[in-house]
Amino acid sequence: HSADSPGARRISSTVALRVFEVIRRLDQPTEVLEDENPSLTMPRRLGLSEVVERQIDRYAAAVRRGQKLSDAELFELVQLVIRRPDATKVFFHAGSSLVAGQRSLVQFGARVLPESAEFFFARRRVQRGLRKLFGRRIGGFSAGPFALEGRSLLFYQADPQGHACAFVTGYAQGVFDGITSHGRRVIHSQCEARGDDRCRWTVQAEIHRPALDSASVGDFLRLPEPEAG
């Protein structure tokens, strides 16, 4: 298969692994009575089934071996998830968890980045991270601090209902959470599933900080970005 053919294996197996780990976590009972065996008393909970445990073991091994997924395999996974009423939540948390392991600028003590530097790092990390995970460029950034958009993206192709777009929402949210300790909420402001001509992700600022002078912004932009761990 060529690198761009539908059967090409270019999607990180970590994507599937995180999806099944999120399903298992969401399906854990909030309260277990003494002497109760949840695997017997709650057999309908997919996350507690042996099937999910086997899938987690399978994809963990694939990650260790560096094996990739094809688009068709990702589409099958998405079709499994969208049967659930909490499909959007599963995709969002899976996307967010895919950021785990990257060294955070917040951990470096950079809690008051100038806004322009904050968005610069976010754009770069989101674009590079999604490309590495899904083996292709995912959309592009239009004018504005953070405006990621694209047409007929992989997620919409896999799920025309739009639930799978939460992969990107969650991933971008995870990136922002690692860049600043101030509240910034990523929103999927336009979606082809809702009749828009494209999918678009932007950021709703929950806390506004005073702008810094251009000299200090330039200093931050010249700093190298911490690489993913």
Side-chain angles (χ1 to χ4, degrees):
H1 295 290
S2 68
D4 294 328
S5 70
R9 293 183 172 274
R10 49 180 171 161
I11 300 171
S12 172
S13 295
T14 306
V15 173
L17 176 61
R18 294 291 179 262
V19 167
F20 282 109
E21 288 175 341
V22 167
I23 288 174
R24 179 175 62 182
R25 186 170 70 247
L26 290 176
D27 286 351
Q28 291 293 330
T30 55
E31 181 178 339
V32 179
L33 301 177
E34 189 175 357
D35 299 325
E36 179 185 8
N37 185 342
S39 65
L40 297 177
T41 59
M42 307 178 72
R44 293 185 180 181
R45 285 185 176 270
L46 176 62
L48 295 181
S49 72
E50 293 182 2
V51 173
V52 167
E53 292 297 336
R54 286 199 298 269
Q55 293 294 338
I56 289 175
D57 290 342
R58 171 192 171 190
Y59 286 114
V63 170
R64 289 194 296 271
R65 293 193 292 265
Q67 293 179 338
K68 303 287 187 178
L69 306 178
S70 66
D71 289 6
E73 289 172 304
L74 177 68
F75 286 13
E76 289 177 4
L77 174 63
V78 168
Q79 291 303 309
L80 172 68
V81 176
I82 63 176
R83 298 173 189 170
R84 297 171 57 99
D86 61 349
T88 300
K89 179 185 288 187
V90 171
F91 290 128
F92 179 88
H93 287 296
S96 178
S97 68
L98 285 166
V99 184
Q102 293 189 6
R103 287 187 293 176
S104 166
L105 290 179
V106 172
Q107 294 172 340
F108 282 91
R111 295 176 178 270
V112 288
L113 281 175
E115 272 194 358
S116 59
E118 179 183 315
F119 287 118
F120 169 80
F121 283 126
R123 290 192 303 269
R124 188 162 67 167
R125 282 192 170 183
V126 168
Q127 191 166 57
R128 290 181 176 181
L130 290 176
R131 184 167 189 164
K132 182 176 181 180
L133 287 166
F134 295 99
R136 74 208 71 192
R137 181 173 177 171
I138 301 296
F141 285 97
S142 61
F146 187 93
L148 176 65
E149 57 186 32
R151 293 185 175 91
S152 193
L153 296 177
L154 177 68
F155 315 98
Y156 176 68
Q157 294 177 30
D159 172 28
Q161 299 178 62
H163 302 294
C165 292
F167 259 130
V168 178
T169 316
Y171 188 83
Q173 187 66 61
V175 167
F176 271 101
D177 289 346
I179 286 177
T180 177
S181 57
H182 296 84
R184 290 202 184 278
R185 187 165 67 91
V186 177
I187 56 175
H188 190 23
S189 56
Q190 296 180 36
C191 184
E192 288 183 276
R194 300 195 296 263
D196 296 312
D197 69 343
R198 71 194 67 193
C199 280
R200 192 171 197 264
W201 290 265
T202 55
V203 172
Q204 178 181 8
E206 296 177 346
I207 295 178
H208 296 280
R209 286 167 287 155
L212 279 81
D213 61 84
S214 57
S216 61
V217 172
D219 290 340
F220 271 100
L221 294 183
R222 284 189 288 271
L223 291 174
E225 179 192 16
E227 295 297 327

